Amino acid sequence: MTSAAGGGHKSIWMDLMRVPFTQGYLDAGGIRTRYLSAGSPDKPLLILIHGTGGHAEAYSRNLEAHAEHFWTFAIDLVGHGWSDKPAIDYEIPAYSAHVAAIVKALGRDKAHVSGESLGGWVAAHFALTYPQMTDRLVLNAAGGWTFNPAVMERVTRLTTEAVVDPNYERMRTRLEFLMHDKSKVNEDLIAVRQAIYRQPGYVDIIKRILCLQVPEIRRRNMFSDEQTRSIKAPTLILWTTHDPTATIAEGKRIADLIPGAKFVVMDDCGHWPQFEDAPTFNRIHIDFLLGRG
């Protein structure tokens, strides 16, 4: 595939080839959990959490930069990617408990936690539920505060169609939803997600995962203003100019509720700024996590 963003085939391997990294599995509270990791264990722990129906490759363009400063783990949440997929209710407390189990399985008492979309929702719940385990918190185009039936319907429809019939065009359409620059959807991303969605039983699992797009279930998992104000960890709210799920004003409102939160908007990006404009994201993200901005 030729990309308008520089030409030539764009691959996950090219994202990772300059950094020593591992793909592995760990036991997180009985959940066999897949991860991509880079960086040294003598550095602070950083957990990167993807969105609905996603996987660790959402952060393939961020591991190299972050490995210099952090023991970095991009994970597959329970029910996602190649991690275990138990027949449970995939609501936010279950995901948050999974992240806590990962931190413990890595032998740490505390971690920086950064999440995109659903991952941001999970990261915020983690910070509220396990404040003693939370160092710094990044909420990247995070869910948990917005209730937009049209967006919820679109996420449900595009994801369900891609899982039920994971052909090339459906998968590209689902991934293009995440990007402002549609050319950033490359062949590797499509192939990886096709492989994940073709796993036996995934049609049933995605129905469980999409429960957060059901109005009554979403509402009981959303954060109140009081809860939001009680987040104690130093927090970065990172939003974009072209997020298809929420407006800049909605992101700013979250930042205004969290004491001392920093609010940054990235230009010309959609729902995956860490992938669409990795250099800018990496600079902003690392500076915040290191306390430099």
Side-chain angles (χ1 to χ4, degrees):
M1 170 180 162
T2 299
S3 168
H9 180 68
K10 306 295 184 183
S11 75
I12 293 166
W13 176 246
M14 293 296 291
D15 296 335
L16 296 171
M17 67 183 300
R18 295 180 300 181
V19 57
F21 77 98
T22 59
Q23 173 183 249
Y25 291 83
L26 56 80
D27 184 332
I31 303 296
R32 187 172 186 262
T33 302
R34 181 225 180 199
Y35 62 82
L36 298 176
S37 178
S40 170
D42 63 357
K43 292 179 170 59
L45 177 61
L46 168 63
I47 306 293
L48 301 171
I49 313 172
H50 60 75
T52 299
H55 38 89
E57 284 80 8
Y59 292 96
S60 64
R61 294 183 173 175
N62 315 112
L63 288 178
E64 179 182 6
H66 287 76
E68 181 180 347
H69 306 282
F70 308 102
W71 193 28
T72 305
F73 282 77
I75 64 168
D76 285 353
L77 277 172
V78 60
H80 290 72
W82 304 103
S83 290
D84 278 350
K85 299 168 181 62
I88 63 172
D89 293 327
Y90 284 91
E91 297 189 41
I92 298 302
Y95 290 126
S96 180
H98 182 221
V99 175
I102 291 169
V103 174
K104 292 174 184 176
L106 292 169
R108 294 298 182 91
D109 298 321
K110 181 175 282 194
H112 298 301
V113 183
S114 176
E116 174 269 328
S117 192
L118 169 65
W121 196 344
V122 174
H125 189 278
F126 178 88
L128 284 165
T129 309
Y130 309 96
Q132 74 284 358
M133 297 178 68
T134 310
D135 199 336
R136 287 182 170 245
L137 172 67
V138 180
L139 307 179
N140 172 14
W145 290 269
T146 57
F147 188 94
N148 185 323
V151 172
M152 292 152 60
E153 185 281 330
R154 189 179 180 194
V155 170
T156 299
R157 176 175 51 81
L158 291 177
T159 306
T160 300
E161 289 175 352
V163 172
V164 171
D165 182 14
N167 65 50
Y168 180 92
E169 290 305 324
R170 288 194 187 279
M171 204 61 60
R172 169 169 283 282
T173 298
R174 175 63 178 89
L175 289 164
E176 285 182 346
F177 171 74
L178 305 171
M179 312 288 184
H180 173 53
D181 179 354
K182 310 305 183 189
S183 73
K184 296 293 179 71
V185 176
N186 63 43
E187 301 294 301
D188 277 12
L189 277 180
I190 293 170
V192 168
R193 195 162 287 207
Q194 281 181 309
I196 290 168
Y197 286 6
R198 285 171 174 159
Q199 291 176 90
Y202 206 77
V203 171
D204 292 331
I205 291 298
I206 204 66
K207 291 177 183 176
R208 293 178 178 271
I209 288 171
L210 290 170
C211 72
L212 292 170
Q213 310 306 319
V214 177
E216 60 270 24
I217 298 175
R218 187 179 188 88
R219 287 192 188 279
R220 70 174 179 238
N221 283 271
M222 290 175 66
F223 301 114
S224 68
D225 287 359
E226 181 180 2
Q227 287 175 307
T228 307
R229 291 189 186 99
S230 69
I231 293 175
K232 304 300 185 187
T235 303
L236 168 65
I237 308 295
L238 197 153
W239 227 255
T240 71
T241 54
H242 293 81
D243 186 349
T245 68
T247 65
I248 292 174
E250 288 172 306
K252 182 64 164 57
R253 180 179 179 276
I254 300 168
D256 288 343
L257 287 169
I258 299 174
K262 181 180 178 65
F263 183 64
V264 176
V265 177
M266 284 181 56
D267 294 328
D268 300 322
C269 290
H271 205 52
W272 266 27
Q274 80 284 351
F275 192 90
E276 278 201 84
D277 185 358
T280 300
F281 176 90
N282 291 338
R283 174 180 54 78
I284 294 168
H285 200 247
I286 291 169
D287 281 351
F288 172 75
L289 293 176
L290 292 177
R292 299 191 306 216

